[in-house]
Amino acid sequence: MLKYVIKRILVTIPVLLGVTFIIFSLMYITPGDPARMYLGEEASEEAVYELREEWGLNDSFGERYLSYMKGLAKGDFGISYVTGQPVTKEIISRVPTTAKMALLCIIFSVLIGVPIGILSAIKQYSLIDKLVTVLAMMGISFPTFWLALMLVLLFTVKLGWLPASGLYGPVYYILPVMSISADSISTLARMTRSSMLEVVRQDYIRTARAKGLDDTTVIFKHALRNAMIPILTTVGLQFVSGLSGTVVNEQIFAIPGVGKMMVDAIKARDYNLVQGGVLLIAIMCSVVNLGIDLLYAFVDPRIKSQYSKSKSKEKKAEVEVEA
Amino acid sequence: MKKLLSGILTAAMVLSLAACGGGSPQASGDTQGTQAGQSAAAAETAAGTEEIRHDKLTVATSGEPKNIDPYGQNEQIAQVPLTVVYEPLFKTNDDGEVIPWLATEWEWENDTTLSLTLRDDVYFHNGEKMTSEDVAFSLSRAATSSFSTALFNSIDEEGFEIIDDTHLKVHLKNPNAALMPALSIHRGAIISKKAYETDPEGFARNPVGTGPMKFVQWVTGDRLEFAINEDYWGEKIAYDNLVVRFITEASSRAIELESGGVDVAMEIGNADWERIESNPNTELLTGNTLTTTFLVLNSSKEPLNDIRVREALAYGINMKALVNTVWQGTSDVATSYYASTLLGHIDILPREYNVEKAKELLAEAGYPDGLTIKYYLYDSSVNTAVAEVLQSMWKEIGVTVDLQVSDVATFSEADDNGEITIAHMSTTAAAPDPNPALAIWPTSRTISLRHGDKHVDELLEKGMGTFDEAERAEVYKELQEYLYSKTYSIPVAYRRDAYGASASITNFPFYPNIVPDLTRIKFTK
């Protein structure tokens, strides 16, 4: 198992190198001049040229990439052109907010999405099932910004129960989490439903029922555990997308998150910040994916046995358990 | 209740006066000092009954500034919070007259020498006294900063004569009648030389000024915080803490204002004007700004190098219809090249809408069957709307618009490279004067218009060098007529703007440069 984890972490390194190269090249070929964006229209051509020189933007692609990578090797992500602050500082000031928000959203989505998915699967074609299907479709189709604004209008303007924007205490999280989660709740519910439906038709479920197990055991111990793999994959994807920030929501709720930082950085052609941000998101993606893969092993011993093929003893033991 | 209150206060006054008078003659100087201090404090409380103080004022701006160094940016979102930290040498009263502020007296010794007398009782937030050195240092930064070229580049950055701590002379490279208006807004803020030189990098995020509030902290992505400066030389500000929140979304700012989350919201979106206005708890402050939007006609490029084509395009626009469609009645048709409230403005526009004449001019210029012109557009709802209306209007005169859509950065690079042919842009007068209002016109400005017309430069210089108001107005009249005759640009709209405030806020007028002076705010409840 440990060997597998180490191997996966080592594989990440070339992936990250590839990411830096691709994002660096993309920013290089995109038109737009960070120095002009910083100085504005009033500045003279000389002033713009001098600033480009100061930031090393007049050098060739090779030179720039090399010096960026040299910096990276020393853990230096460079300076944000716009704020003049180190990129690491800019990112670190926003990651906790985004991570907290992503975590809350995924917990909220799992707690709601999975149970209603199960419910609608075991009561297939019932009224509840139809209701869940319709609501899930709506949850996916409503644009997040629209939902967010409607929630604000209802809970802040009409009822006056919740604050409209900012993050200055627990109550401030309610509206953003609700509006961001609508989509992932719906996706999770649909995924759980279809995955469960597939599993409950399997022979071993019939066997389980035939040998007289009660419904709860059948559903949670036999069906759900086997339906878990696609659900976990979806959870992982939703979590990663939450971690890379939700621009529209951050904008509406004035949340200092990673998403808006990235969009602003791209608009201003703040190369270092864009590169640092993408790299961070890539790292987070790798970590979450690794975590999900390890969870697979946890819920499904068959996969676990694949992770440690070399150790035949363990494998044997697991085969026995399975049998 | 009021009677009771005033009774108590009168009693307090009498008591404190008695305490003052009753001080024994043998008392040491120290005690006397304390007594005097106490009586002053009591008097202050008495006067304070008329003034309602708030613990906190929250302002929502439309975004996070890149820095809060007065000479490190030219963003409105940075200047609004800075009005409480920094002060200029002069301010203007509501009639637009220059009034003394950090400087008590000023005198033009000749066209290029301004002699200044400073207040003697002003201290920076770091405890240092404000002296001529700081003023010279601030103005030399103003002169060399590429963010304030249009306002201050006439100041000779090495031409300061420091006479003593409170007297200095400022020398100019060329006469500039627009300097006083520029020194009377917060763009000419006086910064602490010592604080800047101790940490030039950090200064951009740790302002040290002379204003009624001190900088406390900057929470990245979220807010700026300021607290009252107890040692302020002037009138005490009506609130103890200021929080400036960055709320990008216009509707969120309006909602925060309506729900009482913020006391002031900048840049209210047009869609929210009516709601803020009709709400009894909020007030909409609106007015004409110093912003003019215009179409760039790059006369250095084919086919716009032909004046007949430029004129044809101008005749082909029904300006009233365009402005009403795009701004829905929240902006006015431009009647000249800069805001109508400024010196020398004449009503010379809009040009008549004449499809026949436009077609004739195009035929004369060699395009009897019309032509295709590239139109550069960067992504914004206003720009897109203008382009769409123009596309259909110009179709009538046989001009096909080829839209080139991009983001701002790509657009500005194309502009730098001279690729822009036609584009809708806007310009804001940094100070209420025709000279900064015409900042896009000098040929030294190497982007956008590229008209290369030296006569424009001559007239601009003449306007800067003429100190007599009536004469100066004549010069700008001539310039506007000349620009009209050349059609290097087509002015489109005079922007109106609005900010919202809670109904309890008073003494907070609309500022045409949309940088309201937050220090003036008073409360009614």
Side-chain angles (χ1 to χ4, degrees), chain B residues 221-234:
Chain B
D222 190 53
R223 65 186 188 275
L224 288 165
E225 284 176 17
F226 304 89
I228 194 162
N229 168 18
E230 296 289 357
D231 305 320
Y232 183 55
W233 61 271

Side-chain angles (χ1 to χ4, degrees), chain B residues 318-331:
Chain B
N318 181 349
M319 202 54 87
K320 208 173 160 195
L322 170 70
V323 171
N324 284 342
T325 313
V326 174
W327 284 278
Q328 309 280 339
T330 59
S331 280

Side-chain angles (χ1 to χ4, degrees), chain B residues 15 75 93 95 102 129 167 256 273 316 320 323 421 475 512 516:
Chain B
L15 275 176
E75 301 171 299
N93 62 17
D95 299 324
L102 291 183
K129 189 162 190 256
H167 293 83
E256 279 289 14
W273 283 25
K320 208 173 160 195
V323 171
T421 41
V475 178

Side-chain angles (χ1 to χ4, degrees), chain A residues 31-32 36-39 41-42 45 82 85 93-94 152 156 165-166 168 251-252 254 256 260 267 269, chain B residues 64 66-67 146-150 205 220-223 245 248-249 252 256 407 409-410 412-413 416 445-446:
Chain A
R36 173 59 82 184
M37 291 306 288
Y38 182 81
L39 290 174
E41 291 169 12
E42 250 184 75
E45 266 172 29
V82 176
Q85 301 251 92
S93 69
R94 287 174 169 91
V152 171
T156 308
S165 68
Y168 307 115
Q251 194 145 326
I252 288 177
K260 191 163 174 305
K267 276 190 194 157
R269 300 291 187 271
Chain B
E64 182 168 23
K66 50 185 164 200
N67 63 60
S146 45
F147 295 103
S148 47
T149 317
R205 294 173 77 89
T220 305
D222 190 53
R223 65 186 188 275
R245 288 184 54 196
T248 325
E249 183 68 29
S252 303
E256 279 289 14
D407 70 332
T410 312
S412 81
E413 182 164 295
D416 261 341
R445 176 122 160 175
T446 47

Side-chain angles (χ1 to χ4, degrees), chain B residues 118-399:
Chain B
L118 306 175
R119 290 190 72 94
D120 198 21
D121 56 351
V122 179
Y123 290 85
F124 286 108
H125 301 149
N126 59 1
E128 298 280 323
K129 189 162 190 256
M130 181 198 75
T131 65
S132 304
E133 285 282 350
D134 297 298
V135 174
F137 180 74
S138 305
L139 295 185
S140 78
R141 278 199 75 207
T144 48
S145 159
S146 45
F147 295 103
S148 47
T149 317
L151 289 174
F152 299 115
N153 69 354
S154 60
I155 296 176
D156 180 357
E157 67 265 26
E158 272 145 28
F160 298 100
E161 259 178 78
I162 293 165
I163 296 155
D164 57 35
D165 272 1
T166 54
H167 293 83
L168 80 156
K169 285 180 188 171
V170 181
H171 291 281
L172 306 187
K173 285 184 266 189
N174 52 287
N176 185 359
L179 188 65
M180 284 307 286
L183 290 175
S184 313
I185 54 170
H186 282 86
R187 291 289 289 276
I190 302 308
I191 61 172
S192 161
K193 182 181 180 185
K194 193 174 173 203
Y196 182 85
E197 284 180 342
T198 321
D199 183 12
E201 307 263 298
F203 187 79
R205 294 173 77 89
N206 291 289
V208 178
T210 59
M213 295 206 116
K214 299 179 193 186
F215 171 75
V216 176
Q217 65 163 340
W218 181 336
V219 182
T220 305
D222 190 53
R223 65 186 188 275
L224 288 165
E225 284 176 17
F226 304 89
I228 194 162
N229 168 18
E230 296 289 357
D231 305 320
Y232 183 55
W233 61 271
E235 193 193 344
K236 198 174 176 187
I237 197 161
Y239 43 93
D240 292 331
N241 296 285
L242 172 69
V243 175
V244 177
R245 288 184 54 196
F246 318 134
I247 306 180
T248 325
E249 183 68 29
S251 45
S252 303
R253 281 197 302 280
I255 288 170
E256 279 289 14
L257 178 67
E258 285 177 281
S259 59
V262 303
D263 304 301
V264 174
M266 301 303 299
E267 291 177 68
I268 299 290
N270 289 349
D272 300 317
W273 283 25
E274 226 180 288
R275 254 190 18 257
I276 300 289
E277 200 164 24
S278 58
N279 188 331
N281 299 321
T282 58
E283 195 184 348
L284 186 79
L285 299 143
T286 175
N288 290 309
T289 65
L290 300 177
T291 303
T292 307
T293 85
F294 61 100
L295 291 172
V296 170
L297 303 180
N298 182 349
S299 46
S300 70
K301 280 195 83 141
E302 291 262 1
L304 296 169
N305 52 1
D306 188 330
I307 186 170
R308 289 168 297 192
V309 176
R310 301 200 298 269
E311 280 180 349
L313 292 175
Y315 280 115
I317 302 173
N318 181 349
M319 202 54 87
K320 208 173 160 195
L322 170 70
V323 171
N324 284 342
T325 313
V326 174
W327 284 278
Q328 309 280 339
T330 59
S331 280
D332 305 308
V333 174
T335 51
S336 184
Y337 294 80
Y338 57 78
S340 58
T341 46
L342 302 183
L343 181 77
H345 177 275
I346 50 169
D347 285 352
I348 196 170
L349 290 166
R351 207 179 286 249
E352 70 173 300
Y353 176 49
N354 191 334
V355 175
E356 288 314 309
K357 189 149 187 194
K359 279 184 182 164
E360 259 169 50
L361 282 163
L362 282 180
E364 262 178 52
Y367 304 101
D369 307 319
L371 74 162
T372 303
I373 296 184
K374 279 189 182 171
Y375 182 111
Y376 285 75
L377 165 67
Y378 66 83
D379 208 13
S380 94
S381 54
V382 164
N383 279 334
T384 312
V386 169
E388 279 165 1
V389 175
L390 285 178
Q391 210 167 17
S392 73
M393 281 180 182
W394 281 343
K395 209 172 169 184
E396 301 280 310
I397 61 166
V399 171

Side-chain angles (χ1 to χ4, degrees), chain B residues 5-6 8-10 42-53:
Chain B
L5 209 66
S6 62
I8 292 172
L9 283 161
T10 323
E44 227 172 69
T45 336
T49 47
E50 287 153 36
E51 189 186 280
I52 296 154
R53 294 191 56 79

